[in-house]
Amino acid sequence: MATASALIQTAFTELRVYSPDTDMDDQEQADALSRLNAMMASMATDIAMLGAATYATATLAAPAYPLTVGPSEDVDMVRPMQVLGVSYGLWGDKHQPLASVSWPKLQEYRARGFADISAPVAYHYSPDDPGKLWLVPEPSMGQVTIQALTPRYQWASLETDVDLPPGLQLAVELGLAVMMAGQFQISAGEELIKRAESALANWMRVGEN
């Protein structure tokens, strides 16, 4: 098990910007937490073992659009890297899958209007605007279900404890150190970068066997 605070402390120690007899700055820890989650989401897009297909259903009651997808948001789930599918239905009805459309196509649908249709027929979710889900037409009630690819490992707070598989914790600590170096206006250094790359490669090799 590893808390975000412990991972950040180790990363800062690797960069020699922290020692046990000093306190970590609150803002630096908050920035590191954000970067930690962003790093794990980015890695999950390239490494299948770090991602997970998940589902979430939300009940709509006069919601504001676009819907926000994320922890404690309109659709309560880990913020997706990619939405694999969306379906909609009224309470108790079978959900119907919606078509995924591009942003220009969504605008075309919205401009056209749907005078005789109240249920949505399409959705748009862009990784360029993470957490925003557009439906067209925009229903005022019902339920929407999202199937999404989400990062397997995320920390909601500094004290959130996540069970990382053997070997991955070291890769995360070193990778975070490399990512955070610029914040302290120092170079990560070739040795640290190689150690981070080696730790990740070793974990992936073990995980695939």
PDB file of all heavy atoms in Angstrom, residues 85-90 92-100 119-123 135 143-146:
ATOM      1  N   GLY A  85     -18.134   4.060 -24.731  1.00  0.00           N
ATOM      2  CA  GLY A  85     -19.530   4.000 -25.161  1.00  0.00           C
ATOM      3  C   GLY A  85     -20.438   4.682 -24.158  1.00  0.00           C
ATOM      4  O   GLY A  85     -20.118   4.766 -22.974  1.00  0.00           O
ATOM      5  N   VAL A  86     -21.566   5.196 -24.652  1.00  0.00           N
ATOM      6  CA  VAL A  86     -22.562   5.849 -23.796  1.00  0.00           C
ATOM      7  C   VAL A  86     -23.939   5.341 -24.201  1.00  0.00           C
ATOM      8  O   VAL A  86     -24.236   5.200 -25.403  1.00  0.00           O
ATOM      9  CB  VAL A  86     -22.513   7.384 -23.952  1.00  0.00           C
ATOM     10  CG1 VAL A  86     -23.622   8.036 -23.132  1.00  0.00           C
ATOM     11  CG2 VAL A  86     -21.149   7.933 -23.529  1.00  0.00           C
ATOM     12  N   SER A  87     -24.778   5.050 -23.214  1.00  0.00           N
ATOM     13  CA  SER A  87     -26.158   4.645 -23.488  1.00  0.00           C
ATOM     14  C   SER A  87     -27.097   5.461 -22.607  1.00  0.00           C
ATOM     15  O   SER A  87     -26.695   6.003 -21.577  1.00  0.00           O
ATOM     16  CB  SER A  87     -26.353   3.148 -23.237  1.00  0.00           C
ATOM     17  OG  SER A  87     -26.092   2.824 -21.882  1.00  0.00           O
ATOM     18  N   TYR A  88     -28.368   5.536 -23.033  1.00  0.00           N
ATOM     19  CA  TYR A  88     -29.355   6.356 -22.318  1.00  0.00           C
ATOM     20  C   TYR A  88     -30.684   5.629 -22.259  1.00  0.00           C
ATOM     21  O   TYR A  88     -31.063   4.891 -23.182  1.00  0.00           O
ATOM     22  CB  TYR A  88     -29.537   7.703 -23.027  1.00  0.00           C
ATOM     23  CG  TYR A  88     -30.705   8.503 -22.493  1.00  0.00           C
ATOM     24  CD1 TYR A  88     -30.553   9.308 -21.370  1.00  0.00           C
ATOM     25  CD2 TYR A  88     -31.964   8.424 -23.096  1.00  0.00           C
ATOM     26  CE1 TYR A  88     -31.638  10.023 -20.858  1.00  0.00           C
ATOM     27  CE2 TYR A  88     -33.040   9.140 -22.590  1.00  0.00           C
ATOM     28  CZ  TYR A  88     -32.874   9.933 -21.469  1.00  0.00           C
ATOM     29  OH  TYR A  88     -33.942  10.627 -20.961  1.00  0.00           O
ATOM     30  N   GLY A  89     -31.415   5.866 -21.181  1.00  0.00           N
ATOM     31  CA  GLY A  89     -32.764   5.317 -21.060  1.00  0.00           C
ATOM     32  C   GLY A  89     -33.504   5.980 -19.913  1.00  0.00           C
ATOM     33  O   GLY A  89     -32.900   6.592 -19.032  1.00  0.00           O
ATOM     34  N   LEU A  90     -34.822   5.895 -19.942  1.00  0.00           N
ATOM     35  CA  LEU A  90     -35.623   6.351 -18.816  1.00  0.00           C
ATOM     36  C   LEU A  90     -35.583   5.287 -17.728  1.00  0.00           C
ATOM     37  O   LEU A  90     -35.185   4.145 -17.959  1.00  0.00           O
ATOM     38  CB  LEU A  90     -37.059   6.619 -19.259  1.00  0.00           C
ATOM     39  CG  LEU A  90     -37.233   7.789 -20.236  1.00  0.00           C
ATOM     40  CD1 LEU A  90     -38.675   7.875 -20.694  1.00  0.00           C
ATOM     41  CD2 LEU A  90     -36.784   9.104 -19.591  1.00  0.00           C
ATOM     42  N   GLY A  92     -36.004   2.319 -15.562  1.00  0.00           N
ATOM     43  CA  GLY A  92     -36.630   1.024 -15.792  1.00  0.00           C
ATOM     44  C   GLY A  92     -36.639   0.581 -17.236  1.00  0.00           C
ATOM     45  O   GLY A  92     -36.942  -0.575 -17.529  1.00  0.00           O
ATOM     46  N   ASP A  93     -36.330   1.485 -18.174  1.00  0.00           N
ATOM     47  CA  ASP A  93     -36.306   1.129 -19.590  1.00  0.00           C
ATOM     48  C   ASP A  93     -34.925   0.612 -19.984  1.00  0.00           C
ATOM     49  O   ASP A  93     -33.915   0.926 -19.346  1.00  0.00           O
ATOM     50  CB  ASP A  93     -36.640   2.337 -20.466  1.00  0.00           C
ATOM     51  CG  ASP A  93     -38.104   2.741 -20.369  1.00  0.00           C
ATOM     52  OD1 ASP A  93     -38.873   1.955 -19.779  1.00  0.00           O
ATOM     53  OD2 ASP A  93     -38.453   3.825 -20.852  1.00  0.00           O
ATOM     54  N   LYS A  94     -34.905  -0.158 -21.056  1.00  0.00           N
ATOM     55  CA  LYS A  94     -33.632  -0.620 -21.579  1.00  0.00           C
ATOM     56  C   LYS A  94     -32.863   0.563 -22.157  1.00  0.00           C
ATOM     57  O   LYS A  94     -33.407   1.387 -22.879  1.00  0.00           O
ATOM     58  CB  LYS A  94     -33.862  -1.666 -22.672  1.00  0.00           C
ATOM     59  CG  LYS A  94     -32.581  -2.233 -23.255  1.00  0.00           C
ATOM     60  CD  LYS A  94     -32.875  -3.275 -24.315  1.00  0.00           C
ATOM     61  CE  LYS A  94     -31.581  -3.821 -24.914  1.00  0.00           C
ATOM     62  NZ  LYS A  94     -31.849  -4.836 -25.966  1.00  0.00           N
ATOM     63  N   HIS A  95     -31.596   0.638 -21.825  1.00  0.00           N
ATOM     64  CA  HIS A  95     -30.769   1.734 -22.328  1.00  0.00           C
ATOM     65  C   HIS A  95     -30.399   1.494 -23.791  1.00  0.00           C
ATOM     66  O   HIS A  95     -30.080   0.368 -24.194  1.00  0.00           O
ATOM     67  CB  HIS A  95     -29.487   1.876 -21.498  1.00  0.00           C
ATOM     68  CG  HIS A  95     -29.718   2.539 -20.178  1.00  0.00           C
ATOM     69  ND1 HIS A  95     -28.749   3.235 -19.503  1.00  0.00           N
ATOM     70  CD2 HIS A  95     -30.831   2.624 -19.397  1.00  0.00           C
ATOM     71  CE1 HIS A  95     -29.234   3.717 -18.379  1.00  0.00           C
ATOM     72  NE2 HIS A  95     -30.496   3.345 -18.289  1.00  0.00           N
ATOM     73  N   GLN A  96     -30.428   2.562 -24.565  1.00  0.00           N
ATOM     74  CA  GLN A  96     -30.068   2.492 -25.970  1.00  0.00           C
ATOM     75  C   GLN A  96     -28.701   3.147 -26.185  1.00  0.00           C
ATOM     76  O   GLN A  96     -28.434   4.229 -25.663  1.00  0.00           O
ATOM     77  CB  GLN A  96     -31.118   3.203 -26.832  1.00  0.00           C
ATOM     78  CG  GLN A  96     -32.507   2.604 -26.739  1.00  0.00           C
ATOM     79  CD  GLN A  96     -32.548   1.165 -27.236  1.00  0.00           C
ATOM     80  OE1 GLN A  96     -31.874   0.822 -28.214  1.00  0.00           O
ATOM     81  NE2 GLN A  96     -33.337   0.335 -26.563  1.00  0.00           N
ATOM     82  N   PRO A  97     -27.824   2.496 -26.950  1.00  0.00           N
ATOM     83  CA  PRO A  97     -26.501   3.080 -27.196  1.00  0.00           C
ATOM     84  C   PRO A  97     -26.598   4.350 -28.034  1.00  0.00           C
ATOM     85  O   PRO A  97     -27.440   4.454 -28.932  1.00  0.00           O
ATOM     86  CB  PRO A  97     -25.749   1.973 -27.942  1.00  0.00           C
ATOM     87  CG  PRO A  97     -26.827   1.140 -28.568  1.00  0.00           C
ATOM     88  CD  PRO A  97     -27.986   1.185 -27.619  1.00  0.00           C
ATOM     89  N   LEU A  98     -25.738   5.309 -27.747  1.00  0.00           N
ATOM     90  CA  LEU A  98     -25.680   6.563 -28.484  1.00  0.00           C
ATOM     91  C   LEU A  98     -24.486   6.530 -29.438  1.00  0.00           C
ATOM     92  O   LEU A  98     -23.489   5.871 -29.182  1.00  0.00           O
ATOM     93  CB  LEU A  98     -25.542   7.752 -27.527  1.00  0.00           C
ATOM     94  CG  LEU A  98     -26.554   7.834 -26.377  1.00  0.00           C
ATOM     95  CD1 LEU A  98     -26.322   9.109 -25.584  1.00  0.00           C
ATOM     96  CD2 LEU A  98     -27.980   7.757 -26.896  1.00  0.00           C
ATOM     97  N   ALA A  99     -24.615   7.279 -30.511  1.00  0.00           N
ATOM     98  CA  ALA A  99     -23.524   7.369 -31.480  1.00  0.00           C
ATOM     99  C   ALA A  99     -22.477   8.374 -30.997  1.00  0.00           C
ATOM    100  O   ALA A  99     -22.819   9.434 -30.468  1.00  0.00           O
ATOM    101  CB  ALA A  99     -24.064   7.801 -32.841  1.00  0.00           C
ATOM    102  N   SER A 100     -21.222   8.034 -31.179  1.00  0.00           N
ATOM    103  CA  SER A 100     -20.142   8.954 -30.871  1.00  0.00           C
ATOM    104  C   SER A 100     -19.911   9.862 -32.076  1.00  0.00           C
ATOM    105  O   SER A 100     -19.744   9.376 -33.196  1.00  0.00           O
ATOM    106  CB  SER A 100     -18.858   8.183 -30.549  1.00  0.00           C
ATOM    107  OG  SER A 100     -17.774   9.064 -30.380  1.00  0.00           O
ATOM    108  N   ALA A 119     -35.118  12.158 -26.382  1.00  0.00           N
ATOM    109  CA  ALA A 119     -34.027  11.293 -25.935  1.00  0.00           C
ATOM    110  C   ALA A 119     -32.781  11.564 -26.777  1.00  0.00           C
ATOM    111  O   ALA A 119     -32.875  11.805 -27.977  1.00  0.00           O
ATOM    112  CB  ALA A 119     -34.429   9.824 -26.046  1.00  0.00           C
ATOM    113  N   PRO A 120     -31.600  11.537 -26.172  1.00  0.00           N
ATOM    114  CA  PRO A 120     -30.386  11.792 -26.939  1.00  0.00           C
ATOM    115  C   PRO A 120     -30.104  10.674 -27.942  1.00  0.00           C
ATOM    116  O   PRO A 120     -30.470   9.514 -27.724  1.00  0.00           O
ATOM    117  CB  PRO A 120     -29.294  11.849 -25.863  1.00  0.00           C
ATOM    118  CG  PRO A 120     -29.836  11.048 -24.729  1.00  0.00           C
ATOM    119  CD  PRO A 120     -31.309  11.273 -24.751  1.00  0.00           C
ATOM    120  N   VAL A 121     -29.441  11.043 -29.040  1.00  0.00           N
ATOM    121  CA  VAL A 121     -29.076  10.063 -30.066  1.00  0.00           C
ATOM    122  C   VAL A 121     -27.568  10.003 -30.250  1.00  0.00           C
ATOM    123  O   VAL A 121     -27.053   9.083 -30.890  1.00  0.00           O
ATOM    124  CB  VAL A 121     -29.741  10.403 -31.421  1.00  0.00           C
ATOM    125  CG1 VAL A 121     -31.251  10.307 -31.309  1.00  0.00           C
ATOM    126  CG2 VAL A 121     -29.317  11.787 -31.918  1.00  0.00           C
ATOM    127  N   ALA A 122     -26.839  10.995 -29.698  1.00  0.00           N
ATOM    128  CA  ALA A 122     -25.399  11.042 -29.906  1.00  0.00           C
ATOM    129  C   ALA A 122     -24.722  11.705 -28.708  1.00  0.00           C
ATOM    130  O   ALA A 122     -25.347  12.394 -27.899  1.00  0.00           O
ATOM    131  CB  ALA A 122     -25.061  11.802 -31.192  1.00  0.00           C
ATOM    132  N   TYR A 123     -23.412  11.476 -28.614  1.00  0.00           N
ATOM    133  CA  TYR A 123     -22.617  12.097 -27.549  1.00  0.00           C
ATOM    134  C   TYR A 123     -21.257  12.501 -28.091  1.00  0.00           C
ATOM    135  O   TYR A 123     -20.807  12.025 -29.137  1.00  0.00           O
ATOM    136  CB  TYR A 123     -22.426  11.133 -26.363  1.00  0.00           C
ATOM    137  CG  TYR A 123     -21.430  10.018 -26.618  1.00  0.00           C
ATOM    138  CD1 TYR A 123     -20.077  10.172 -26.282  1.00  0.00           C
ATOM    139  CD2 TYR A 123     -21.822   8.806 -27.192  1.00  0.00           C
ATOM    140  CE1 TYR A 123     -19.157   9.160 -26.517  1.00  0.00           C
ATOM    141  CE2 TYR A 123     -20.911   7.798 -27.430  1.00  0.00           C
ATOM    142  CZ  TYR A 123     -19.582   7.971 -27.090  1.00  0.00           C
ATOM    143  OH  TYR A 123     -18.670   6.972 -27.329  1.00  0.00           O
ATOM    144  N   LEU A 135     -24.359  15.625 -24.736  1.00  0.00           N
ATOM    145  CA  LEU A 135     -25.405  14.784 -25.306  1.00  0.00           C
ATOM    146  C   LEU A 135     -26.258  15.640 -26.229  1.00  0.00           C
ATOM    147  O   LEU A 135     -26.439  16.834 -25.999  1.00  0.00           O
ATOM    148  CB  LEU A 135     -26.297  14.190 -24.209  1.00  0.00           C
ATOM    149  CG  LEU A 135     -25.624  13.362 -23.112  1.00  0.00           C
ATOM    150  CD1 LEU A 135     -26.670  12.865 -22.121  1.00  0.00           C
ATOM    151  CD2 LEU A 135     -24.835  12.195 -23.693  1.00  0.00           C
ATOM    152  N   GLN A 143     -31.538   8.299 -17.351  1.00  0.00           N
ATOM    153  CA  GLN A 143     -30.265   7.780 -16.860  1.00  0.00           C
ATOM    154  C   GLN A 143     -29.285   7.622 -18.009  1.00  0.00           C
ATOM    155  O   GLN A 143     -29.671   7.227 -19.114  1.00  0.00           O
ATOM    156  CB  GLN A 143     -30.459   6.431 -16.163  1.00  0.00           C
ATOM    157  CG  GLN A 143     -31.214   6.510 -14.841  1.00  0.00           C
ATOM    158  CD  GLN A 143     -31.327   5.158 -14.180  1.00  0.00           C
ATOM    159  OE1 GLN A 143     -31.562   4.149 -14.836  1.00  0.00           O
ATOM    160  NE2 GLN A 143     -31.149   5.122 -12.863  1.00  0.00           N
ATOM    161  N   VAL A 144     -28.040   7.922 -17.736  1.00  0.00           N
ATOM    162  CA  VAL A 144     -26.988   7.759 -18.731  1.00  0.00           C
ATOM    163  C   VAL A 144     -25.920   6.837 -18.146  1.00  0.00           C
ATOM    164  O   VAL A 144     -25.557   6.956 -16.968  1.00  0.00           O
ATOM    165  CB  VAL A 144     -26.380   9.125 -19.139  1.00  0.00           C
ATOM    166  CG1 VAL A 144     -25.748   9.829 -17.959  1.00  0.00           C
ATOM    167  CG2 VAL A 144     -25.362   8.944 -20.254  1.00  0.00           C
ATOM    168  N   THR A 145     -25.471   5.891 -18.945  1.00  0.00           N
ATOM    169  CA  THR A 145     -24.431   4.948 -18.532  1.00  0.00           C
ATOM    170  C   THR A 145     -23.214   5.126 -19.424  1.00  0.00           C
ATOM    171  O   THR A 145     -23.342   5.191 -20.652  1.00  0.00           O
ATOM    172  CB  THR A 145     -24.917   3.499 -18.598  1.00  0.00           C
ATOM    173  OG1 THR A 145     -25.994   3.320 -17.675  1.00  0.00           O
ATOM    174  CG2 THR A 145     -23.794   2.523 -18.236  1.00  0.00           C
ATOM    175  N   ILE A 146     -22.061   5.211 -18.797  1.00  0.00           N
ATOM    176  CA  ILE A 146     -20.810   5.402 -19.521  1.00  0.00           C
ATOM    177  C   ILE A 146     -19.915   4.193 -19.326  1.00  0.00           C
ATOM    178  O   ILE A 146     -19.730   3.713 -18.197  1.00  0.00           O
ATOM    179  CB  ILE A 146     -20.071   6.664 -19.029  1.00  0.00           C
ATOM    180  CG1 ILE A 146     -20.907   7.915 -19.288  1.00  0.00           C
ATOM    181  CG2 ILE A 146     -18.708   6.793 -19.687  1.00  0.00           C
ATOM    182  CD1 ILE A 146     -20.261   9.178 -18.773  1.00  0.00           C
TER     183      ILE A 146
END
